[in-house]
């Protein structure tokens, strides 16, 4: 798997023994897999990854592991099925770790310890191993056994109370948001640790609390409280540094366009674009402070202009005048109508012998203009032969015996 | 546990030139926390980040922006007019001595100053040139302008938030900027590790897009296959969560909790209802089936609501978790500062700011690395604070040369 510029993917030669499950974890190791690491998803029938099932399924009906979300989170990985409740299963897992650079898991509590796969044990067999554990609350402290899905992480970490109109319940942000921010924190930590290991040969343990990584996204909220003694205000769609700043209703059902204007120059450009130069000379809107004082009236004027127009037209017209404006895109916009995403960010991938293809996203950063190729998420145990026979070098006898004993399913 | 300040961070050998505007200023902080020497380059007089609200005590001033204090903590700072030919030359010198350059200019903007990726990487092939733009370096919207609001809207992240009768709500604290910076730093570190490993000792050009970065959160919550397979378009539903039932519940003390019933522990929930003597019609076997519950969510939500109304938020949180139900408090910043877990883990970090005569208590770092801890222990730089160190020690300009550059407004 090489990018077309001739240089390999940056993580080629790195192997990851991946005990992640659900979403936030697998979305992290997907980044490593997409950029060339060999990620071995170690699955156990005693704890089946629940997102292999359910979720959004093809119209023809579910085929094996056809949940769209599972397929988003597990591209480019290999999968083995190992019974970690047997001593032989744990032994084989350790053999994989011995050949791995990175070990990952997001179990809550002492699951890895109970398997004998905690950092101290793994370090004994692979001294320079980098191990990342990312439970919701981290690996220490009074809440160490507490669990949540993404919506609970968002609630805990304060990402719900810092948005929306002040008179509404704190419903917060898209419910799985932290499942896609935490993975990039996890990846940063792993890559930084890999860099350190390249220089020094030293591995380490990384403790990442998903809830804390959510709190690292609160911006100035904590400082505003600790320094100024006030809770950050909920501003709805308004901004302290921009005016106008909001979502304006456009023609069509539930269609909206956002507009953000900061300086007086930008305001004049907006007036020009709307062909409303009378507003540019209106003293109510002449300065930022004046616009802030009359923000309701200002929003009414802009809303009156957008209401009869298609949101895409509003965006293109305003952008032609260098005004920051954009369509409030729904899923159909993102998949079909957006000028950029469908052709550049979304990929259709399929698995040999299957009629169904999946739509997933590429990684949002390009290296030397390239976005790595995507391979469909593995079936459970799809790479047993490769991992146990080729990588671990098990004899056919030993492999068959492990199957017969139920150590490998 | 990790002993703070024990050892340098994992990127202690890495130098970063930080030219980012507000859309990418978080990226440099992430590098700095990990021990990199991040040199923030501001125009003489200070950059626009210093005029972002909120201000300390509400009073504007070049050293008073909490936005600057938060996002530039742990960095060094210099002033340099890169639009001046001599300034651009100095920046090239700095880039030659650096590993990573972060910029958020419109595509082509820095190239016009002779500071584009190709130009700098021709001089310094090891350089990792990191660009963060709203829509990426290429494509039909590459030249379009965006703030966080616009990128949030165009990534689908906004459409899903709010009540059906309200406008879509933008996420708080500029999440598109945060996601853009996070993914960009991952890209840069991939290039760094690649440079370490593949024997070429060559950096890469990293192109990060705010729209693409923020869209991932949407494309998972509202998976693209809902549309590609079923032509379904998920909409914002207020308190109704993913599984069809309500997701947030108000407690006896009028605080809120997020309350999710994980499939294996349905019985725990019923037992709790019974202990509380809460009437419900959820005893039949059909309710054990997650799909059935999803399709008949209202009686379940009503029972959770009745339970929530009997307890205050804290009791509901800890008692729920004890019963292995996924109950989480809806915290605000004050709640977080007081939280036992976060205090135990010393998540919030105090950074002294002698010039302001204050200690600034802020969110700490998101990860604990046992051998090479990331840290937050340095306030944001004063304007031009490190001019002498950087232009003198690093670039070798003597005092006279520096004074001349200051007189001509370059630094």
């Amino acid at each position: 798997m090489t990018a077309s510029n001739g240089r390999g993917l940056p993580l080629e030669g790195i192997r990851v023994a991946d005990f992640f499950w659900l979403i936030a974890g697998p979305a992290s190791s997907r980044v490593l897999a997409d950029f060339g690491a060999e990620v071995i998803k170690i699955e156990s029938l005693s704890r089946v990854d629940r997102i292999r099932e359910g979720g959004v399924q093809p119209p023809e009906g579910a085929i094996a592991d056809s949940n769209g979300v599972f397929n988003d989170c597990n591209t480019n990985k290999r999968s083995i099925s190992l019974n970690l409740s047997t001593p032989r299963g744990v032994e084989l897992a350790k053999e994989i770790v011995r050949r791995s650079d990175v070990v990952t898991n997001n179990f809550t509590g002492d699951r890895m310890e109970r398997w004998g796969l905690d950092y101290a044990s793994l370090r004994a067999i692979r001294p320079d191993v980098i191990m990342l554990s990312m439970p919701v609350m981290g690996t220490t402290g009074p809440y160490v056994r507490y669990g949540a899905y993404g919506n609970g992480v968002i609630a805990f970490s304060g990402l719900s109370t810092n948005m929306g109109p002040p008179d509404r319940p704190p419903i917060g942000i898209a419910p799985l948001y932290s499942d896609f921010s935490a993975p990039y924190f996890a990846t940063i930590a792993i890559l930084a640790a890999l860099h350190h290991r390249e220089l020094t040969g030293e591995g380490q343990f990384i403790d990442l609390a998903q809830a804390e990584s959510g709190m690292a996204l609160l911006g100035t909220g904590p400082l505003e409280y600790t320094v100024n003694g006030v809770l950050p205000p909920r501003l709805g769609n308004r901004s302290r540094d921009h005016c106008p700043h909001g979502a304006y209703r456009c023609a069509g059902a539930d269609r909206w366009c956002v507009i953000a204007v900061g300086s007086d120059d930008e305001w004049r450009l907006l007036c020009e674009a709307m062909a409303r130069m009378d507003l540019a000379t209106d003293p109510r809107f002449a300065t930022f402070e004046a616009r802030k004082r009359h923000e309701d009236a200002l929003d009414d004027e802009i809303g009156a202009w957008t209401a009869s127009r298609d949101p895409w037209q509003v965006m293109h017209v305003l952008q032609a005048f260098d005004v920051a404006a954009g369509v409030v895109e729904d899923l159909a916009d993102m998949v079909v109508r957006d000028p950029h995403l469908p052709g550049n960010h979304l990929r259709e991938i399929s698995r040999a012998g299957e009629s169904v293809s999946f739509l997933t996203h590429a990684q949002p950063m390009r290296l030397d203009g390239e976005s790595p190729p995507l391979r469909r998420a593995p079936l459970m145990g799809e790479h047993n032969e490769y991992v146990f026979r080729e990588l671990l070098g098990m004899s056919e006898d030993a492999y068959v015996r492990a199957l017969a004993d139920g150590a490998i399913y | 546990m990790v002993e703070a300040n024990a050892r340098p961070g994992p990127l202690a050998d890495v130098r970063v030139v930080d030219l980012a505007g507000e859309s990418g200023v978080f990226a440099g902080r992430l590098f700095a926390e990990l021990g990199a020497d991040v040199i923030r380059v501001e125009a003489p007089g200070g950059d626009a980040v210093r005029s972002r609200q909120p201000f300390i005590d509400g009073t504007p001033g070049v050293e008073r922006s909490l936005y600057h204090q938060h996002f530039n903590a742990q960095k060094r700072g210099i002033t340099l007019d890169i639009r001046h030919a001599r300034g651009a030359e100095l920046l090239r010198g700095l880039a030659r001595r650096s590993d990573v350059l972060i910029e958020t200019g419109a595509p082509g903007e820095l190239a016009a100053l002779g500071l584009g990726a190709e130009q700098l990487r021709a001089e310094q092939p090891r350089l990792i040139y990191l660009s963060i733009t709203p829509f990426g370096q290429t494509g039909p919207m590459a030249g379009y302008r965006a703030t966080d609001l616009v990128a949030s809207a165009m990534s689908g992240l906004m459409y899903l938030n709010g009540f059906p009768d309200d406008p879509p709500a933008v996420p708080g604290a500029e999440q598109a900027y945060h996601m853009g910076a996070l993914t960009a730093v991952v890209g840069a570190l991939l290039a760094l590790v690649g440079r370490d490993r593949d024997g070429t000792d060559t950096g890469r050009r990293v192109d990060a897009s705010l729209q693409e970065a923020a869209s991932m959160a949407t494309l998972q919550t509202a998976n693209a296959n809902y549309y590609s397979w079923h032509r379904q378009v998920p909409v914002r539903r207020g308190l109704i969560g993913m599984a069809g039932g309500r997701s947030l519940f108000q407690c006896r003390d009028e605080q809120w909790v997020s309350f999710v019933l994980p499939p294996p522990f349905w019985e725990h929930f019923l037992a709790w209802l019974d202990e509380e003597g809460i009437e419900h019609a959820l005893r039949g076997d059909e309710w054990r089936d997650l799909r059935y519950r999803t399709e008949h969510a209202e009686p379940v939500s009503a029972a959770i609501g009745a339970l929530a109304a009997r307890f205050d938020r804290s009791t509901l949180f800890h008692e729920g978790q004890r019963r292995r139900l996924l109950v989480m408090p809806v915290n605000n910043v004050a709640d977080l500062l007081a939280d036992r877990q976060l205090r135990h883990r010393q998540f919030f970090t105090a950074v002294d700011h002698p010039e302001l005569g204050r200690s600034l208590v802020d969110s700490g770092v998101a990860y604990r690395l046992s051998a090479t801890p990331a840290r937050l222990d340095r306030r944001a730089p004063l304007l031009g604070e490190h001019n002498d160190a950087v232009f003198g020690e690093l670039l070798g300009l003597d005092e006279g040369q520096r004074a001349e550059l200051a007189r001509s407004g370059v630094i």
Side-chain angles (χ1 to χ4, degrees):
Chain A
M1 211 169 59
T2 46
S4 61
N5 64 3
R7 208 170 158 197
L9 291 168
L11 299 183
E12 275 171 20
I14 296 287
R15 184 173 296 124
V16 182
D18 181 15
F19 293 87
F20 280 145
W21 66 331
L22 301 173
I23 299 177
S28 312
S29 50
R30 173 185 160 170
V31 181
L32 306 177
D34 284 355
F35 286 99
E38 179 176 85
V39 175
I40 301 175
K41 188 172 170 64
I42 299 174
E43 306 194 64
S44 176
L45 270 189
S46 60
R47 276 182 96 91
V48 176
D49 190 344
R50 285 204 293 270
I51 66 157
R52 276 195 176 275
E53 295 162 356
V56 56
Q57 297 288 346
E60 300 83 356
I63 55 172
D65 311 315
S66 51
N67 178 4
V69 180
F70 173 80
N71 280 279
D72 274 349
C73 298
N74 291 290
T75 54
N76 286 332
K77 298 182 189 173
R78 303 183 190 276
S79 163
I80 60 167
S81 50
L82 198 55
N83 188 349
L84 290 167
S85 56
T86 67
R88 181 68 177 136
V90 170
E91 235 173 75
L92 290 170
K94 286 183 176 173
E95 286 306 311
I96 294 167
V97 171
R98 195 190 301 281
R99 292 162 179 80
S100 297
D101 304 277
V102 178
V103 178
T104 58
N105 83 94
N106 57 335
F107 296 119
T108 300
D110 57 356
R111 166 58 56 189
M112 292 297 274
E113 282 82 347
R114 280 187 283 146
W115 280 331
L117 298 171
D118 52 291
Y119 176 61
S121 307
L122 297 183
R123 192 184 180 182
I125 55 172
R126 169 88 191 203
D128 67 348
V129 73
I130 293 163
M131 180 170 181
L132 172 108
S133 293
M134 54 180 286
V136 166
M137 288 295 173
T139 64
T140 60
Y143 305 172
V144 71
R145 295 192 60 82
Y146 286 13
Y149 297 148
N151 51 359
V153 174
I154 291 160
F156 183 90
S157 58
L159 288 165
S160 298
T161 50
N162 72 351
M163 62 175 287
D167 55 345
R168 294 298 236 165
I171 54 171
I173 193 171
L176 298 182
Y177 181 67
S178 67
D179 284 334
F180 307 100
S181 50
Y184 288 88
F185 284 105
T187 322
I188 286 170
I190 290 171
L191 292 169
L194 274 170
H195 173 69
H196 176 72
R197 196 200 61 167
E198 289 299 324
L199 298 188
T200 64
E202 181 182 45
Q204 57 188 313
F205 179 71
I206 303 164
D207 169 9
L208 189 156
Q210 292 177 41
E212 290 174 354
S213 76
M215 292 161 61
L217 302 174
L218 293 174
T220 55
L223 274 182
E224 187 164 16
Y225 179 70
T226 61
V227 175
N228 286 350
V230 294
L231 287 171
R234 287 172 68 187
L235 300 169
N237 288 336
R238 289 184 173 172
S239 155
R240 288 188 275 204
D241 300 291
H242 292 84
C243 184
H245 188 274
Y248 300 91
R249 196 181 279 284
C250 298
D254 202 30
R255 298 311 331 232
W256 305 81
C257 179
V258 294
I259 299 170
V261 165
S263 67
D264 295 343
D265 286 345
E266 289 170 2
W267 165 239
R268 273 188 292 277
L269 289 172
L270 173 61
C271 294
E272 216 177 303
M274 296 192 299
R276 286 291 309 272
M277 292 316 286
D278 58 310
L279 295 178
T281 54
D282 189 325
R284 289 177 305 163
F285 309 132
T287 63
F288 180 79
E289 291 70 27
R291 289 195 293 281
K292 265 290 176 200
R293 275 198 305 280
H294 302 102
E295 197 162 4
D296 288 340
L298 180 66
D299 282 346
D300 288 345
E301 296 285 1
I302 297 168
W305 183 77
T306 59
S308 60
R309 290 174 165 79
D310 172 80
W312 297 99
Q313 182 203 354
V314 171
M315 173 181 80
H316 292 306
V317 167
L318 296 187
Q319 288 282 358
F321 282 83
D322 272 343
V323 174
V327 176
V328 178
E329 297 197 29
D330 64 21
L331 186 59
D333 294 323
M334 297 171 74
V335 173
V336 179
R337 301 184 199 111
D338 182 275
H340 174 76
L341 294 174
N344 294 290
H345 189 54
L346 294 171
R347 306 277 186 83
E348 214 159 328
I349 52 175
S350 54
R351 193 164 52 196
E354 282 179 358
S355 56
V356 173
S357 65
F358 296 80
L359 199 58
T360 189
H361 56 87
Q363 291 294 339
M365 54 288 192
R366 288 175 176 70
L367 302 187
D368 290 336
E370 298 282 336
S371 189
L374 298 181
R375 235 180 23 232
R376 159 95 151 86
L379 294 168
M380 177 131 170
E382 184 176 345
H383 301 95
N384 281 351
E385 287 242 356
Y386 159 74
V387 170
F388 296 113
R389 296 281 282 113
E390 270 181 62
L391 189 63
L392 266 48
M394 285 172 83
S395 68
E396 187 159 359
D397 272 4
Y399 180 58
V400 170
R401 205 161 49 242
L403 283 170
D405 295 348
I408 303 169
Y409 299 112
Chain B
M1 247 338 285
V2 174
E3 183 59 42
N5 302 323
R7 295 183 53 186
L11 304 182
D13 64 309
V14 173
R15 180 171 298 126
V16 178
V17 181
D18 180 3
L19 292 170
E22 63 180 34
S23 62
V25 70
F26 184 49
R29 170 158 164 176
L30 290 165
F31 273 105
E33 288 172 350
L34 291 162
D37 176 20
V38 178
I39 300 173
R40 177 138 184 91
V41 180
E42 301 185 61
D47 72 14
V49 164
R50 290 179 184 265
S51 56
R52 286 291 313 268
Q53 297 195 56
F55 297 111
I56 295 170
D57 302 330
T59 315
V62 77
E63 303 296 348
R64 301 190 70 82
S65 162
L66 291 173
Y67 198 93
H68 166 69
Q69 295 299 336
H70 175 72
F71 287 108
N72 289 324
Q74 211 68 15
K75 302 177 187 177
R76 298 204 285 169
I78 62 170
T79 52
L80 181 64
D81 183 0
I82 62 168
R83 286 165 206 292
H84 191 290
R86 182 79 179 106
E89 180 52 38
L90 287 169
L91 191 86
R92 274 194 293 277
L94 194 52
R96 275 195 299 274
R97 292 163 178 82
S98 299
D99 300 278
V100 181
L101 181 144
I102 309 174
E103 65 95 12
T104 56
E109 195 177 324
L110 281 181
L113 302 172
L115 301 171
E118 284 171 21
Q119 294 145 322
L120 293 187
R121 292 191 58 222
E123 292 180 21
Q124 156 73 317
R126 300 182 81 240
L127 185 68
I128 295 160
Y129 193 103
L130 175 52
S131 298
I132 303 172
T133 49
F135 303 101
Q137 295 294 314
T138 57
M141 295 191 294
Y144 275 18
R145 284 166 41 83
T147 63
D148 176 80
L149 175 72
V150 174
S152 294
M154 297 197 63
S155 66
L157 192 50
M158 198 168 163
Y159 186 76
L160 293 171
N161 306 320
F163 286 83
D165 48 340
D166 285 346
V170 71
E174 303 183 326
Q175 295 307 311
Y177 286 171
H178 278 95
M179 286 299 294
L182 280 168
T183 59
V185 172
V186 169
L189 293 179
L190 285 163
L192 183 69
V193 173
R195 192 183 81 176
D196 293 338
R197 290 176 52 80
D198 72 4
T200 63
D201 200 34
T202 302
R204 300 192 196 231
R205 170 75 191 270
V206 181
D207 169 11
S209 147
L210 300 182
Q211 184 197 28
E212 291 183 358
S215 78
M216 283 186 308
T218 314
L219 289 167
Q220 302 282 355
T221 300
N223 189 272
N225 295 292
Y226 280 112
Y227 190 80
S228 62
W229 287 338
H230 303 286
R231 296 290 179 266
Q232 287 175 11
V233 178
V235 296
R236 60 191 179 282
R237 298 195 292 175
L239 287 169
I240 305 299
M242 300 263 299
R246 288 172 60 189
S247 53
L248 294 186
F249 297 85
Q250 203 157 23
C251 316
R252 195 179 62 184
D253 56 2
E254 301 196 336
Q255 299 290 334
W256 293 80
V257 290
S258 159
F259 200 125
V260 175
L261 294 169
F265 301 112
W266 174 248
E267 301 297 333
H268 296 204
F269 174 58
L270 292 187
W272 197 3
L273 292 178
D274 289 342
E275 280 171 47
E276 285 301 313
I278 290 170
E279 295 286 323
H280 63 86
L282 307 173
R283 275 180 229 287
D285 277 348
E286 66 276 19
W287 292 99
R288 292 166 193 276
D289 176 19
L290 180 61
R291 200 159 306 154
Y292 185 86
R293 291 212 297 271
T294 303
E295 285 158 11
H296 303 80
E298 193 35 48
V300 181
S301 294
I304 299 174
L307 191 61
R310 298 217 174 168
F311 300 98
D312 60 28
R313 178 180 58 178
S314 173
T315 308
L316 205 60
F317 169 39
H318 297 294
E319 184 58 22
Q321 287 285 346
R322 191 182 69 78
R323 294 168 185 264
R324 308 198 65 181
L325 305 175
L326 304 181
V327 184
M328 279 284 154
V330 178
N331 287 322
N332 65 23
V333 173
D335 299 324
L336 295 172
L337 263 301
D339 183 80
R340 277 198 296 147
Q341 171 79 2
L342 299 169
R343 282 177 175 270
H344 177 91
R345 286 169 63 84
Q346 299 180 311
F347 175 73
F348 287 99
T349 311
V351 178
D352 282 339
H353 198 312
E355 292 78 6
L356 292 170
R358 291 177 190 256
S359 177
L360 306 176
V361 177
D362 200 0
S363 291
V365 296
Y367 20 61
R368 324 280 169 120
L369 286 79
S370 64
T372 56
R375 65 168 60 85
L376 174 66
D377 56 13
R378 281 214 321 255
R379 59 149 173 73
L382 304 173
L383 186 61
E385 182 177 355
H386 301 94
N387 279 358
D388 286 349
V390 171
F391 295 118
E393 289 159 35
L394 195 61
L395 296 184
L397 301 180
D398 64 31
E399 215 166 309
Q401 290 170 306
R402 300 203 301 269
E404 198 283 319
L405 286 168
R407 263 195 310 278
S408 53
V410 177
I411 68 178

